[in-house]
Amino acid sequence: MTTDLMSDEREGLPEGWVETSLGEVVTVVSGIGFPHDYQGQTSGALPFYKVGDISRAVKENNGLLAGAKNYISHSDLVELKGKTIPVGTVVFAKIGEAIKLSRRARALSESVIDNNVMGVVPSGAIDSEYLFKFMCTVDFSEKSRSTTVPSLRKSDVENEVVPLPPLPEQIRIADKLDALLSRVEAGRERLERVPKLLKRFRQSVLSAAVSGELTREWRGGEEISLQSASLGTIAKFIDYRGKTPTKTTNGVPLITAKNVRQGYLSLEPREYIAEGNYSDWMTRGFPSIGDVLITTEAPMGYVCSINWDYKFALAQRIICLQFRSSVSGRFMAIYLQSFQFQTELKAQSSGSTVEGIKASRMKEIEVYFPSLPEQTEIVRRVEALFAIADRIEARYQSALTTFNRLTPALLAKAFRGELVPQDPNDEPASVLLERIRAARATLGDKPKRGRGAAKEAGGAKPDSPAPDGATPKRRGRPPKAKPESLPVASSYDQAVQLLQERKFQKAEGTRQGELFGVED
């Protein structure tokens, strides 16, 4: 592999930085086959990581591999002729559609990876946490090859260009990112509570509306007076179930159960019937503004009020309800979404795999409604409160979009050298790289194996004493200090517990907080 090491004077890079290939600062490793007979051990000496473990680590533990679903003993590893990866190795999928997900995880203990996984082991020129965060920005999907199944080669990873600051600055960058990204994640977690709160709020409004609490003040504090009737006696059922129209690419919009959401109509998916077939198809009745649509299965019980005036057709798992003049369709759209009606609907449903309800059973459900003036007032108040919820939801979506941009923006800023100040006393990255290259050249970039290595040692086997009392030659690179690791977990559950303890320790006082004065 050849690398054009760029000067730290290169335009766009801070002083002391260089751009180099990833292969200059890491060792790329691949995993081994994991026969089925060796799988299934939920505890043991070495965690054996598969692509699924990486996905779980990303989703649940911020990319930290603290435990696996499978473990393996040292003796089994010898039988499989495999090798372990050290603490700090960054691992990722190297084959299949998982490459496109760009999920990265970092080993917190000595472990093993399977042959669908590739890893990069940091050298003395790159900090393991800096490497992990850089790898999270790399997309290998365009570099993967194969006519059937995408795959990565070792050279694809080695040739990736990495901006390399001085080693002390790498540590400062990684620490600063830890501090900032933890705040981003905490903010995202708080933000993601909003949809549940809004759902609970809307359901509370519906319950207050149909129980009369929402309009108690409007009635002067008096109890609500309700009438009751079966649904079939106050509404005409326009039912196009059991018929499937011929669909076209354009024409009259076709609305099915797939378009009806709880409380509103979705325009997706967009389906149509031909304009010339509309009259022949709509023989059971025409929906009007103010009518109510309700789905009867898959899903059952989704309700929306028709508030549009364009022509459309109906089909498939949906019924249109046209209410008589004494009952407001807009009020009934509220009532039908309420917990009270939905509970009764479920009680009258049938089906073991797909829950649904027959029109004849729905017609028998008893519904309750106040006077028409109070129905109108309830609709006004519910729509006003739902409008507030809609505005909050819009702000939530905007805030979520901003949060989703924060992490990529912070990472980009970090790898441009704009996140932390440079220290002129730091040894330039180019000097460190040259020293590592010199050490490699002295030892041999790729140590020989087998007979060649034995011959160089005077016929002795590698790593064994050389003849005539000569200093034995060592294969490979000199040993380096291992990064700090978690205690080795003997099971997945213990690993999760250790990870939680580590998170707590960080919350109490992390190294990034000490360096940068990050406050809670």
Side-chain angles (χ1 to χ4, degrees):
M1 176 182 58
T2 60
T3 302
D4 179 19
L5 184 61
M6 301 179 186
S7 168
D8 57 6
E9 299 297 327
R10 180 182 179 274
E11 184 179 355
L13 282 179
E15 185 177 354
W17 287 47
V18 295
E19 272 188 351
T20 188
S21 68
L22 203 54
E24 286 284 333
V25 293
V26 304
T27 301
V28 181
V29 295
S30 290
I32 60 171
F34 195 17
H36 188 269
D37 292 345
Y38 289 85
Q39 299 182 34
Q41 298 182 51
T42 56
S43 62
L46 297 167
F48 202 123
Y49 293 120
K50 305 174 76 172
V51 173
D53 296 301
I54 295 173
S55 295
R56 278 188 294 274
V58 170
K59 293 177 182 178
E60 301 171 7
N61 299 326
N62 295 320
L64 300 179
L65 283 168
K69 290 295 184 182
N70 293 278
Y71 284 74
I72 193 172
S73 66
H74 287 284
S75 59
D76 285 344
L77 184 62
V78 172
E79 290 181 17
L80 293 174
K81 298 179 181 180
K83 295 181 180 180
T84 60
I85 58 171
V87 176
T89 301
V90 181
V91 297
F92 46 91
K94 72 170 187 178
I95 190 168
E97 292 300 310
I99 295 175
K100 297 179 181 179
L101 298 177
S102 296
R103 288 173 176 164
R104 311 285 183 256
R106 189 162 65 94
L108 296 181
S109 64
E110 184 182 24
S111 47
V112 187
I113 54 177
D114 85 346
N115 56 357
N116 293 319
V117 176
M118 185 176 281
V120 288
V121 182
S123 71
I126 190 165
D127 176 68
S128 64
E129 290 197 31
Y130 179 89
L131 172 64
F132 171 60
K133 290 173 173 61
F134 171 75
M135 291 298 294
C136 288
T137 69
V138 178
D139 182 6
F140 286 123
S141 58
E142 294 183 358
K143 297 184 178 182
S144 59
R145 55 177 58 79
S146 179
T147 55
T148 53
V149 181
S151 62
L152 284 176
R153 292 178 182 174
K154 182 179 178 182
S155 59
D156 295 328
V157 179
E158 290 177 330
N159 292 333
E160 184 69 30
V161 175
V162 55
L164 196 69
L167 192 56
E169 188 174 345
Q170 293 178 35
I171 297 172
R172 295 197 299 271
I173 289 172
D175 287 340
K176 187 67 171 179
L177 282 172
D178 278 342
L180 295 175
L181 295 180
S182 64
R183 286 187 168 188
V184 171
E185 188 60 30
R188 190 198 309 277
E189 288 176 0
R190 288 194 293 270
L191 191 62
E192 288 175 348
R193 299 174 195 164
V194 172
K196 292 181 180 179
L197 293 174
L198 287 175
K199 183 178 180 180
R200 195 179 309 161
F201 169 76
R202 289 187 174 107
Q203 194 60 52
S204 297
V205 170
L206 293 173
S207 295
V210 300
S211 68
E213 285 302 314
L214 191 61
T215 46
R216 179 178 290 277
E217 179 187 357
W218 179 83
R219 295 191 308 273
E222 296 181 1
E223 291 298 320
I224 190 170
S225 176
L226 296 173
Q227 304 175 57
S228 66
S230 61
L231 190 57
T233 61
I234 62 171
K236 175 185 176 181
F237 278 50
I238 301 177
D239 188 357
Y240 283 89
R241 294 177 304 157
K243 296 177 65 179
T244 303
T246 301
K247 299 174 185 178
T248 60
T249 56
N250 54 59
V252 178
L254 178 67
I255 292 177
T256 71
K258 292 179 287 187
N259 299 103
V260 178
R261 302 291 185 263
Q262 197 62 286
Y264 69 98
L265 182 82
S266 171
L267 297 179
E268 299 295 337
R270 296 176 185 267
E271 297 178 314
Y272 304 89
I273 65 171
E275 180 76 36
N277 295 337
Y278 179 73
S279 297
D280 293 336
W281 173 256
M282 298 294 290
T283 57
R284 299 180 183 178
F286 294 90
S288 304
I289 293 178
D291 293 349
V292 176
L293 301 179
I294 182 168
T295 59
T296 57
E297 63 176 317
M300 182 186 71
Y302 277 15
V303 177
C304 77
S305 180
I306 298 176
N307 57 5
W308 58 94
D309 59 1
Y310 56 82
K311 183 167 62 176
F312 64 94
L314 291 174
Q316 299 173 355
R317 309 189 311 279
I318 193 171
I319 291 176
C320 177
L321 303 176
Q322 288 185 336
F323 290 93
R324 69 188 188 193
S325 58
S326 61
V327 181
S328 164
R330 291 165 69 189
F331 169 81
M332 290 309 300
I334 292 170
Y335 182 87
L336 297 180
Q337 293 178 66
S338 69
F339 177 78
Q340 292 90 321
F341 178 81
Q342 292 286 322
T343 301
E344 185 61 25
L345 188 71
K346 188 176 181 65
Q348 298 297 328
S349 66
S350 58
S352 55
T353 54
V354 178
E355 192 176 41
I357 187 168
K358 297 177 180 179
S360 59
R361 298 297 297 272
M362 189 187 296
K363 289 178 180 180
E364 296 173 357
I365 296 177
E366 199 79 3
V367 295
Y368 300 86
F369 48 93
S371 65
L372 195 55
E374 188 160 0
Q375 292 178 40
T376 303
E377 181 63 18
I378 288 172
V379 169
R380 186 189 70 79
R381 295 190 178 205
V382 168
E383 290 181 348
L385 291 170
F386 275 22
I388 295 173
D390 291 342
R391 288 196 294 271
I392 294 173
E393 189 166 30
R395 292 176 63 185
Y396 155 76
Q397 292 293 347
S398 176
L400 186 61
T401 300
T402 300
F403 266 90
N404 289 337
R405 292 171 180 165
L406 274 177
T407 296
L410 286 171
L411 289 171
K413 191 172 183 178
F415 298 119
R416 290 196 304 265
E418 299 172 2
L419 194 64
V420 300
Q422 280 74 49
D423 186 341
N425 296 318
D426 290 341
E427 179 185 64
S430 57
V431 176
L432 177 60
L433 272 179
E434 290 299 339
R435 189 163 61 249
I436 289 176
R437 283 178 169 179
R440 283 181 178 175
T442 301
L443 295 172
D445 193 33
K446 292 186 178 180
K448 294 182 180 180
R449 300 179 183 274
R451 295 179 182 177
K455 187 179 291 185
E456 288 184 7
K461 293 181 179 180
D463 294 330
S464 62
D468 301 327
T471 302
K473 292 189 177 182
R474 181 183 179 89
R475 297 173 63 196
R477 299 175 181 175
K480 64 178 182 179
K482 294 183 178 180
E484 181 184 357
S485 65
L486 284 177
V488 177
S490 61
S491 69
Y492 181 77
D493 291 338
Q494 184 187 6
V496 173
Q497 181 181 355
L498 290 171
L499 183 62
Q500 294 299 326
E501 291 175 357
R502 184 175 186 268
K503 287 182 178 178
F504 177 77
Q505 292 169 358
K506 276 197 168 188
E508 288 297 312
T510 61
R511 61 177 181 148
Q512 56 264 36
E514 295 170 354
L515 282 169
F516 298 99
V518 177
E519 300 176 355
D520 293 335

